[in-house]
Amino acid sequence: MWLIRGMVAAPKTIPAREPSAVKQFSVFTANRLGRLHDLVSLLASHNVHVLAVTILDTTDSAIIRIVTDDPEQARELLRKNEFAFTESDLLVVELASATDLSGIMAALLEAEININYMYSFIPHPQGKSLLALSMEDYEMAEKVLARHQFRVLRQADVSR
């Protein structure tokens, strides 16, 4: 508390920042030999590690979806090196055992929440399996999974 001209004033409370969601980059590129190597090498050369990756390809083009341990640096590198990309939030859930996948699917089905797509992370250094989910309703999915005792991770949980 502070004294202001003989009066006691309560300190101002600053609302806590909600930890940021895990960031996914969807990189759009020609479907040609070496493009994935170019992207991964660029990031690695700047000490940015790819934690999860999935690729959707067509005859002419590909979408490379990645999660990195340093999204700010990844964003800057993608822009600087003229990679076309978008950025979105992902719901990342920790799986303690193989049976958790069924439980996660059941919880989301019960809440009638649609999954756009999902993919797994490259093994986490702490040995946990992680599942990345692109959701129709991210906030509701997070609440449902927390209510069912699943741990939803934030960017800080997967970054260095």
Side-chain angles (χ1 to χ4, degrees), residues 1 5 9 15 23 26 30 45 48 58 71 80 82 88 95 107 112 118 120 123 139 143 159:
M1 297 206 176
R5 294 187 189 179
K23 297 295 179 196
S26 296
S45 70
V48 176
T58 64
K80 186 176 178 181
E82 299 180 356
S88 58
L95 284 80
E112 298 182 1
M118 66 182 198
S120 60
E139 290 177 11
K143 289 176 186 172
S159 292

Side-chain angles (χ1 to χ4, degrees), residues 82-154:
E82 299 180 356
F83 278 95
F85 72 95
T86 61
E87 187 175 330
S88 58
D89 291 341
L90 279 180
L91 189 78
V92 176
V93 185
E94 186 176 88
L95 284 80
S97 70
T99 60
D100 280 354
L101 182 59
S102 178
I104 290 168
M105 296 302 111
L108 295 172
L109 176 61
E110 176 185 302
E112 298 182 1
I113 298 173
N114 190 41
I115 300 170
N116 298 324
Y117 57 85
M118 66 182 198
Y119 54 99
S120 60
F121 272 58
I122 295 167
H124 196 268
Q126 295 158 347
K128 301 281 185 170
S129 295
L130 304 178
L131 185 64
L133 299 145
S134 171
M135 306 301 302
E136 184 176 82
D137 188 338
Y138 178 91
E139 290 177 11
M140 178 60 77
E142 184 174 11
K143 289 176 186 172
V144 166
L145 292 174
R147 194 169 53 243
H148 283 83
Q149 308 301 310
F150 290 104
R151 182 171 178 232
V152 175
L153 303 177
R154 299 300 198 168

